[in-house]
């Protein structure tokens, strides 16, 4: 009997502590269920979305009793109640009152409406937001948003979402929300009715799902945000294209919005701009403190490099095995050795436009840096450019090569500088493309973005992201090549950078000035991605310099 009583006590204690509240959300006037309503705790990442019949079940066991339960859906007044009372009442029915729509008199005046498209238009399949309910159970119902700024009164015609991959055997329920702006973050929902979609694969044309919102009569002016949220779990996954170094916003349910400066979702809108309307500011429609002006859409180059043979050519590729690292490299052509070193998080395939040309004149050796591409690194140590330089030395020793020419792009350029300092007897000439001698030689916006991303990765502390963390860390901690070290380099060096490079102009000029036998070349209107954007000019300059 005592054992039964003990079990009953434990069961009752669990029942009291596990406060799972179920109910139905209904319209107060019509007593009809309201589908896909947000029910959550303010300022916390606790929440659910009701089903298509308004039914919900929310676990408030971990919720702050002094906090507020918040229930909202477009077109109805928000419902709030303390967590304590909500649990105490355990209401089976939540009645929401429909908002009173103030229909103001519209004075019709002739308008000059001009078509515009704003936002992120990339269709890349290399940088993506992945929505996978099977892998991400906790924050699947999170929301992502993009900021816009309409300088003149504008009507939204279409909301476009670029989808890189769609895998689902059922329609995927999602919601669009338009928010006002407050202190640089999304604030209040300005819609009078829900914009919900049952997305299917055939609704996506050429990688874009275009949603016609003309009938919603959405007029905007000033700063606003467009957010997307998935409403119910589905078997499959969706990948949304994203643009590097654009600012996006994320939140988990009613938690605080977080600014993400590394990448933004590919949301863009077609609008009609009233050119006769009052101009709020003499600035561009979209205000973004990101690196959008320095980082072009790389998706065409990434796709082309993936489709090339380079980086996966079994007939040209080999591994050099070593302690804690297996280095993958590919060799093409005959003649004087020329080593190609790629940038951070890149690989051999990034030189898909250089290898075919250069291999006609040189023995081209393209190397995947350790921990990147096909090269591995099983150590738990921080990565350094000095270690990368040692890897190059080990490779040429293995191949029996005494002297090499080097073309290093970005991180590869930094490695090239380290190599010529440590092993000058093994170098003929060096070309750097977008290299830096110190961390703050990088554009401050990129540097801050990298620091923010590193902080996030270190806080997450996920084992599967260890290598990603240290590859990012090297750009924040290194290189640290002093003025006196640069002056010791006696080999001929060609220092290349783009006019709009992420490397500061004064940093590039500093490197070229300190190296005694250096030449400087700035590519007009080019960015950091010269091997992608200016392949013919770069190939000619490489051949001319090494000639």
């Amino acid at each position: 009997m005592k054992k039964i009583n003990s079990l009953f006590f434990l069961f009752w204690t669990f029942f009291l502590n596990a406060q799972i509240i179920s109910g139905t959300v209904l319209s107060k006037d019509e007593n009809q269920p309201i589908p896909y309503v947000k029910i959550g705790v303010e300022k916390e990442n606790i929440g659910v979305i009701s089903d298509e019949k308004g039914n919900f079940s929310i676990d408030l066991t971990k919720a702050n009793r002094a906090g507020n339960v918040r229930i909202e859906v477009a077109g109805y007044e928000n419902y709030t109640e303390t967590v304590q009372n909500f649990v105490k009442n355990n209401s089976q029915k939540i009645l929401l009152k429909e908002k009173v729509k103030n229909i103001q008199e519209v004075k019709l005046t002739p308008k000059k409406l001009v078509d515009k498209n704003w936002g992120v238009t990339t269709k890349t399949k290399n940088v993506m937001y992945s929505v996978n309910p099977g892998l991400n159970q906790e924050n699947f119902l999170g929301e992502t948003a993009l900021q816009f700024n309409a300088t003149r009164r504008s009507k939204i015609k279409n909301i476009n979402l670029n989808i890189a991959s769609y895998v689902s055997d059922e329609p995927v329920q999602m919601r669009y929300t338009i928010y006002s702006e407050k202190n640089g973050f999304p604030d209040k929902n300005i819609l009078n009715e829900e914009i919900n979609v049952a997305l299917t694969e055939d609704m996506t044309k050429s990688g874009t799902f275009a949603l016609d919102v003309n009938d919603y009569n959405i007029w905007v002016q000033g700063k606003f945000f467009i957010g997307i949220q998935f409403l119910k779990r589905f078997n499959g996954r969706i990948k949304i294209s994203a643009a590097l170094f654009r600012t996006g916003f994320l939140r988990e349910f009613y938690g605080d919005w977080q600014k993400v400066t590394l990448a933004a979702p590919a949301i863009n809108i077609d609008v009609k701009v009233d050119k006769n309307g009052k101009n709020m500011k003499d600035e561009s429609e979209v205000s973004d403190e990101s690196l959008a002006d320095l980082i072009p859409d790389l998706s065409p180059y990434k796709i082309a490099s993936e489709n090339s043979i380079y980086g996966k050519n079994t007939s040209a590729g080999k591994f050099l095995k070593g302690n804690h690292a297996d280095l993958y490299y590919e060799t093409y052509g005959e003649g004087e050795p020329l080593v190609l070193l790629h940038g951070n998080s890149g690989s051999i395939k990034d030189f898909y436009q250089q290898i075919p040309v250069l291999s006609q004149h040189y023995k081209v050796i393209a190397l995947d840096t350790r921990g990147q591409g096909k090269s591995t690194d099983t150590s738990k140590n921080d990565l350094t450019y000095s270690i990368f330089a040692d890897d190059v030395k080990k490779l040429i020793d293995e191949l029996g090569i005494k002297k090499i020419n080097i073309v290093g792009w970005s991180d590869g350029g930094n490695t090239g500088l380290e190599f010529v300092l440590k092993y000058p007897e093994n170098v003929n000439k060096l070309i750097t493309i977008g290299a830096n001698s110190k961390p703050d030689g990088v554009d401050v916006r990129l540097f801050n973005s990298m620091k923010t991303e590193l902080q996030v990765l270190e806080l997450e502390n996920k084992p599967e992201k260890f290598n990603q963390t240290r590859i990012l860390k090297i750009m924040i901690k290194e290189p640290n090549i002093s003025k006196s070290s640069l002056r010791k380099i006696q080999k001929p060096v060609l220092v290349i950078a783009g006019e709009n490079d992420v490397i500061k102009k004064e940093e590039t000029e500093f490197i070229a000035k300190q190296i005694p036998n250096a030449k400087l070349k700035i590519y007009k209107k080019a960015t950091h991605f010269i091997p992608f954007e200016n392949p013919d000019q770069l190939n000619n300059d490489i051949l001319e310099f090494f000639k």
Side-chain angles (χ1 to χ4, degrees):
M1 186 67 183
K2 286 183 178 180
K3 190 175 290 185
I4 294 174
N5 288 336
S6 297
L7 288 172
F8 177 79
F9 176 76
L10 289 172
F11 173 78
W12 184 248
T13 301
F14 175 80
F15 178 77
L16 290 175
N17 289 331
Q19 292 161 344
I20 300 175
I21 309 301
S22 300
T24 304
V25 184
L26 305 167
S27 61
K28 187 174 182 179
D29 297 333
E30 300 174 354
N31 200 36
Q32 293 296 315
I34 306 174
Y36 306 124
V37 179
K38 291 178 66 173
I39 303 104
V41 181
E42 290 182 347
K43 300 295 182 180
E44 296 188 37
N45 302 333
I46 299 172
V48 296
I49 293 175
S50 70
D51 64 17
E52 58 273 11
K53 296 181 179 179
N55 299 318
F56 70 91
S57 182
I58 183 170
D59 186 353
L60 297 176
T61 305
K62 297 180 181 180
N64 178 7
R65 290 295 179 273
N68 287 329
V69 171
R70 179 176 165 189
I71 301 176
E72 70 173 30
V73 66
Y76 293 84
E77 294 182 2
N78 291 348
Y79 174 100
T80 58
E81 188 174 11
T82 64
V83 173
Q84 186 172 354
N85 288 339
F86 193 79
V87 171
K88 182 179 178 181
N89 295 333
N90 193 10
S91 302
Q92 294 299 313
K93 292 184 179 180
I94 304 294
L95 300 177
L96 298 186
K97 185 178 180 181
E98 192 170 357
K99 285 183 179 178
V100 177
K101 299 178 182 178
N102 296 319
I103 303 175
Q104 300 177 348
E105 181 182 356
V106 178
K107 185 178 180 181
L108 298 177
T109 56
K111 289 183 172 64
K112 183 181 179 182
L113 298 178
V114 180
D115 290 318
K116 293 283 187 178
N117 177 270
W118 302 332
V120 176
T121 58
T122 180
K123 292 186 178 180
T124 179
K125 294 186 178 181
N126 292 279
V127 183
M128 296 177 291
Y129 279 88
S130 182
V131 182
N132 191 336
L135 295 178
N136 196 353
Q137 294 285 342
E138 292 184 0
N139 61 357
F140 163 71
L141 297 177
E143 191 171 6
T144 182
L146 186 70
Q147 181 177 342
F148 297 83
N149 186 15
T151 59
R152 287 184 170 89
R153 191 166 182 263
S154 306
K155 182 182 180 181
I156 302 178
K157 296 167 48 187
N158 299 301
I159 303 176
N160 306 310
L161 183 65
N162 291 347
I163 298 176
S165 174
Y166 180 103
V167 178
S168 178
D169 55 3
E170 58 183 319
V172 176
Q173 296 288 339
M174 56 184 295
R175 168 161 51 216
Y176 290 81
T177 307
I178 301 180
Y179 294 99
S180 61
E181 180 268 347
K182 184 177 181 180
N183 299 326
F185 289 90
D187 188 29
K188 295 179 180 178
N189 184 355
I190 65 173
L191 293 176
N192 288 320
E193 55 184 312
E194 287 285 280
I195 303 180
N196 294 338
V197 176
L199 181 65
T200 58
E201 187 173 13
D202 60 356
M203 294 165 67
T204 300
K205 307 297 183 184
S206 301
T208 298
F209 168 55
L211 178 65
D212 185 345
V213 294
N214 256 311
D215 292 343
Y216 288 88
N217 200 32
I218 306 168
W219 287 85
V220 291
Q221 188 166 12
K223 294 180 181 179
F224 64 97
F225 295 81
I226 294 181
I228 56 173
Q229 182 180 35
F230 292 85
L231 301 177
K232 59 185 294 188
R233 302 191 184 281
F234 59 94
N235 294 320
R237 66 183 183 277
I238 290 180
K239 293 182 179 180
I240 301 168
S241 297
L244 282 173
F245 308 116
R246 292 290 301 270
T247 302
F249 295 80
L250 293 171
R251 73 166 172 177
E252 293 183 26
F253 225 81
Y254 286 132
D256 291 334
W257 285 96
Q258 303 294 326
K259 184 181 290 188
V260 181
T261 55
L262 185 67
I267 303 172
N268 61 91
I269 56 177
D270 299 318
V271 297
K272 287 279 191 183
V273 180
D274 180 6
K275 299 301 286 186
N276 290 334
K278 183 179 179 182
N279 191 352
M280 293 181 65
K281 292 182 180 179
D282 292 327
E283 60 183 31
S284 63
E285 285 83 359
V286 178
S287 175
D288 195 345
E289 296 177 358
S290 68
L291 280 174
D293 56 330
L294 299 182
I295 307 293
D297 180 8
L298 302 177
S299 54
Y301 309 112
K302 291 294 186 181
I303 292 170
S305 68
E306 289 287 350
N307 291 334
S308 75
I309 195 173
Y310 304 109
K312 53 189 176 186
N313 188 350
T314 55
S315 63
K318 290 183 179 179
F319 280 95
L320 172 63
K321 295 189 176 294
N323 293 330
H324 303 297
D326 291 342
L327 302 175
Y328 179 76
Y329 66 98
E330 293 180 357
T331 306
Y332 300 90
E334 297 294 337
E336 194 175 338
L338 169 56
V339 175
L340 300 181
L341 302 175
H342 63 76
N344 191 281
S345 300
S347 71
I348 292 169
K349 64 188 177 188
D350 292 344
F351 290 111
Y352 74 99
Q353 296 181 92
Q354 283 69 52
I355 295 173
V357 176
L358 301 180
S359 61
Q360 296 179 32
H361 305 271
Y362 296 93
K363 181 177 183 177
V364 173
I365 305 164
L367 171 68
D368 276 346
T369 305
R370 67 163 62 204
Q372 300 164 66
K374 285 188 174 181
S375 293
T376 62
D377 184 338
T378 59
S379 74
K380 300 302 179 183
N381 301 323
D382 284 348
L383 299 175
T384 67
Y385 294 118
S386 180
I387 291 174
F388 295 164
D390 291 341
D391 287 341
V392 176
K393 179 65 163 67
K394 184 175 182 179
L395 177 60
I396 65 172
D397 286 347
E398 176 71 16
L399 297 176
I401 297 172
K402 296 299 181 183
K403 284 199 172 187
I404 57 174
N405 294 309
I406 298 175
V407 174
W409 175 17
S410 194
D411 267 23
N414 301 344
T415 300
L417 291 171
E418 289 283 1
F419 186 89
V420 76
L421 285 168
K422 292 188 76 172
Y423 307 106
E425 68 280 2
N426 296 116
V427 181
N428 284 321
K429 294 181 180 181
L430 166 67
I431 295 177
T432 66
I433 308 164
N436 55 303
S437 65
K438 51 190 178 296
D440 63 3
V442 175
D443 186 285
V444 65
R445 292 167 291 175
L446 174 58
F447 190 70
N448 289 338
S449 295
M450 293 190 298
K451 286 199 299 183
T452 300
E453 186 189 5
L454 180 62
Q455 289 171 354
V456 171
L457 288 171
E458 290 180 334
L459 285 172
E460 289 180 337
N461 195 27
K462 293 181 179 179
E464 65 271 21
K465 293 186 178 181
F466 171 72
N467 197 58
Q468 179 184 346
T469 301
R470 60 179 178 173
I471 289 173
L472 179 62
K473 186 186 292 184
I474 191 176
M475 293 191 292
I476 296 172
K477 303 294 184 182
E478 294 199 11
N480 294 291
I481 304 174
S482 65
K483 180 190 294 187
S484 59
S485 294
L486 289 173
R487 288 176 175 174
K488 292 178 182 177
I489 297 175
Q490 298 300 315
K491 301 295 180 178
V493 179
L494 175 59
V495 179
I496 294 175
E499 185 179 28
N500 301 316
D501 211 299
V502 296
I503 305 300
K504 296 176 182 176
K505 181 183 177 182
E506 57 268 27
E507 171 70 3
T508 302
E509 292 173 343
F510 169 79
I511 293 172
K513 184 177 180 180
Q514 304 310 316
I515 299 174
N517 296 313
K519 293 182 179 180
L520 173 64
K521 182 158 189 179
I522 303 296
Y523 282 33
K524 296 294 184 182
K525 298 181 180 180
T527 70
H528 188 63
F529 301 92
I530 288 171
F532 285 162
E533 297 175 310
N534 309 80
D536 294 338
Q537 184 181 359
L538 177 62
N539 291 340
N540 289 336
D541 286 340
I542 292 172
L543 294 174
E544 180 66 25
F545 184 70
F546 287 147
K547 182 174 65 176

